[in-house]
Amino acid sequence: MIWLTWRQFRVQALVAAVALAVIAAYLVYLGADIRDAHDAYRARCASRPDDCPPALAQFRGDYESTLLFLAAGLQLIPVVIGTFWGAPLIARELETGTHRLVWNQSVTRRRWLAVKLAFLALAGAALTGAVAALLTWAARPFDEATEDRFSTIVFGARGIAPIGYAVLAFTLGTVVGLLVRRTLPAMAVTGVAFIVLQFVFPNMVRPHLLPPEKTTLRMTVQAINGAQNMGSITGGAVVHGLAVPGSPGAWVSDISPFRTADGRTLSGAKFDECLNSPRRTGAGGKFGDTAVCLARMNLHVDVAYQPKSRYWAFQGLETAAYLLLAGVLTVFGLWRVRHRVS
């Protein structure tokens, strides 16, 4: 059964091997280039400490777009595996009617499906895991310098999490094909479903995998100028992209609106006044006079965050969650193919 599965899969395996070789060659080159640039950045900081911020900005600007593009590309690999490996696995047999011959041999349909699921899921996990390991290695100096490993795209393209994505995507595609029974519709449903899952999980589930740490940050001029942006499309008195002092690289999962000293939310009118027409003081910084105007009101925000020391805990929990979902789908598929498919 394993030999038969390999013979049916050998073309996809060859394409995957060639793609992996090309990707590996590029990532080894990129990793060496990033390390050379990182050494130059550190040497510049050591000789001229005042040049560290612009040197870091240059180092980040040289590689950030490339690494984000590669991370997004890596997250498409599980989608491809689920769509082109998983969805046709049973759907093609049912669509063409060849399942009548396959499932009337000495091998039971459950064993047939179990062997195929195990063999191809392991192949998909190996492919995705190898690319993730190479990208993690290549980007390590950049990740250490920027301390941004918890961002949605970066987190899903580093460590062991992509292995869970690949296994679940393949299993999902197989079960969708079993239910839909048509190859092209199954491929479309699988691709859309997994992309939706990859949007929902990081935003709605990942922040709750571990209880966050909580703290209160005073909104001084310096703290406000360190934020990424302020305001929202609804006009709320909110701030985004704050760092937690004393916890570099932490993942800030929630920031409250601006609050006054008595704990009340700052009114939209006062926030808009500081944002749109602050008193002119000639202050510098990212938000200038707006930061001064807000700081005068003795504001604070409540912050929920995850320390960077929990990074691998989140990687393990997310991978386990995806593998658990894949296991549930596998059990359902084995039951379905035995009792509901004729």
Side-chain angles (χ1 to χ4, degrees):
M1 186 64 205
I2 295 176
W3 173 248
L4 175 62
T5 302
W6 160 248
R7 284 186 59 83
Q8 293 176 329
F9 179 66
R10 63 184 185 275
V11 175
Q12 295 97 313
L14 178 61
V15 172
V18 172
L20 177 59
V22 173
I23 293 171
Y26 175 72
L27 288 178
V28 169
Y29 162 78
L30 179 64
D33 192 47
I34 289 176
R35 279 158 174 75
D36 290 341
H38 186 251
D39 290 342
Y41 150 67
R42 295 181 63 184
R44 183 176 170 184
C45 281
S47 61
R48 291 177 292 178
D50 291 342
D51 282 353
C52 277
L56 177 59
Q58 180 180 351
F59 176 61
R60 184 168 192 159
D62 288 343
Y63 296 101
E64 186 171 32
S65 296
T66 299
L67 290 174
L68 284 175
F69 177 80
L70 290 172
L74 172 56
Q75 294 195 50
L76 287 177
I77 293 178
V79 179
V80 173
I81 289 173
T83 303
F84 291 93
W85 291 10
L89 185 66
I90 299 179
R92 184 179 294 118
E93 302 279 1
L94 296 173
E95 189 173 29
T96 59
T98 53
H99 67 288
R100 298 185 182 90
L101 174 63
V102 173
W103 292 344
N104 280 286
Q105 306 301 313
S106 59
V107 177
T108 66
R109 61 180 70 182
R110 277 185 175 177
R111 183 184 172 191
W112 175 88
L113 179 58
V115 170
K116 283 184 172 288
L117 280 172
F119 188 90
L120 298 185
L122 286 174
L127 171 64
T128 309
V131 177
L134 286 165
L135 182 55
T136 301
W137 170 83
R140 182 174 294 121
F142 182 89
D143 292 340
E144 291 174 352
T146 59
E147 296 185 323
D148 195 27
R149 293 191 300 171
F150 270 112
S151 66
T152 301
I153 296 178
V154 173
F155 184 91
R158 305 284 198 272
I160 60 175
I163 296 174
Y165 304 160
V167 174
L168 178 59
F170 173 75
T171 308
L172 175 65
T174 302
V175 172
V176 169
L178 179 62
L179 296 174
V180 175
R181 304 170 69 100
R182 294 291 184 272
T183 303
L184 291 180
M187 293 171 70
V189 171
T190 299
V192 172
F194 193 75
I195 290 173
V196 170
L197 176 64
Q198 288 295 76
F199 175 81
V200 171
F201 196 98
N203 292 284
M204 301 184 67
V205 180
R206 186 184 297 164
H208 306 290
L209 291 176
L210 288 174
E213 300 286 336
K214 296 183 179 181
T215 189
T216 298
L217 301 182
R218 291 184 61 241
M219 288 292 95
T220 62
V221 172
Q222 182 180 5
I224 294 171
N225 281 325
Q228 292 182 0
N229 55 72
M230 289 190 295
S232 68
I233 58 175
T234 59
V238 295
V239 60
H240 307 280
L242 290 174
V244 179
S247 186
W251 171 30
V252 177
S253 56
D254 185 63
I255 303 175
S256 73
F258 284 110
R259 302 195 191 281
T260 57
D262 59 3
R264 296 181 180 180
T265 299
L266 180 68
S267 69
K270 289 185 177 181
F271 176 72
D272 289 340
E273 182 180 347
C274 283
L275 192 64
N276 300 320
S277 55
R279 182 186 302 174
R280 301 302 177 187
T281 65
K286 185 173 182 178
F287 296 104
D289 295 332
T290 294
V292 174
C293 178
L294 291 169
R296 283 174 175 167
M297 290 187 278
N298 192 24
L299 302 173
H300 68 273
V301 294
D302 298 320
V303 175
Y305 69 97
Q306 299 287 351
K308 70 175 182 179
S309 59
R310 296 180 179 178
Y311 174 78
W312 284 107
F314 271 90
Q315 281 274 326
L317 287 170
E318 184 155 326
T319 304
Y322 274 76
L323 291 177
L324 178 61
L325 288 173
V328 171
L329 287 175
T330 298
V331 171
F332 172 76
L334 293 173
W335 172 83
R336 178 82 182 189
V337 78
R338 175 66 180 84
H339 294 283
R340 299 292 181 180
V341 179
S342 60

